[in-house]
Amino acid sequence: MNYNFEYHDVAASEALEDFTKEQLDKLVHKYDFIVRADIFFKTENTSSDETGKSAGIRLSAPGPRLYANHSSKSFHESVKEVMRELNIQLKKRKEKMKSH
């Protein structure tokens, strides 16, 4: 599994990378067809305190790439929400793979 981290207007954080890898490893163990993950962290200018820390993850797997993005008050919360969204997408992809 290859990880590629990109930061936009955010300082690189090893702790954040470790947290994200830990969350992604859970998905990889569940769905072994994932090949690569591109992870994006970005700070957005928003008027709300509840958003602004955006995390996006693009997964390479058989078929079209999967992508999820979420913005919340912390990167950890954003990553958790992105993982939930990706889990749903992966579940659908696995069902399609079984039916063919």
Side-chain angles (χ1 to χ4, degrees), residues 16-78:
L16 187 57
E17 287 184 14
D18 290 341
F19 174 77
T20 306
K21 285 180 184 179
E22 184 180 301
Q23 297 295 312
L24 279 167
D25 285 342
K26 293 176 187 176
L27 285 181
V28 171
H29 288 301
K30 195 171 183 182
Y31 305 102
D32 59 351
F33 53 85
I34 300 171
V35 178
R36 176 182 163 168
D38 297 311
I39 303 103
F40 309 96
F41 293 109
K42 180 169 57 172
T43 302
E44 301 170 334
N45 290 331
T46 61
S47 58
S48 171
D49 291 338
E50 297 298 312
T51 60
K53 309 284 189 199
S54 177
I57 297 178
R58 182 176 56 219
L59 295 179
S60 295
R65 288 189 177 147
L66 303 169
Y67 181 77
N69 186 23
H70 190 75
S71 180
S72 64
K73 61 184 173 185
S74 77
F75 287 116
H76 286 40
E77 286 181 33
S78 296

Side-chain angles (χ1 to χ4, degrees), residues 79-89:
V79 167
K80 285 180 184 178
E81 185 60 28
V82 167
M83 291 302 165
R84 192 186 67 72
E85 293 172 19
L86 286 172
N87 193 33
I88 293 168
Q89 292 180 35

Side-chain angles (χ1 to χ4, degrees), residues 30-33 90-100:
K30 195 171 183 182
Y31 305 102
D32 59 351
F33 53 85
L90 286 163
K91 199 177 292 183
K92 288 179 185 177
R93 173 77 51 92
K94 192 170 185 174
E95 287 302 314
K96 282 185 181 178
M97 289 171 71
K98 283 183 181 178
S99 66
H100 293 300

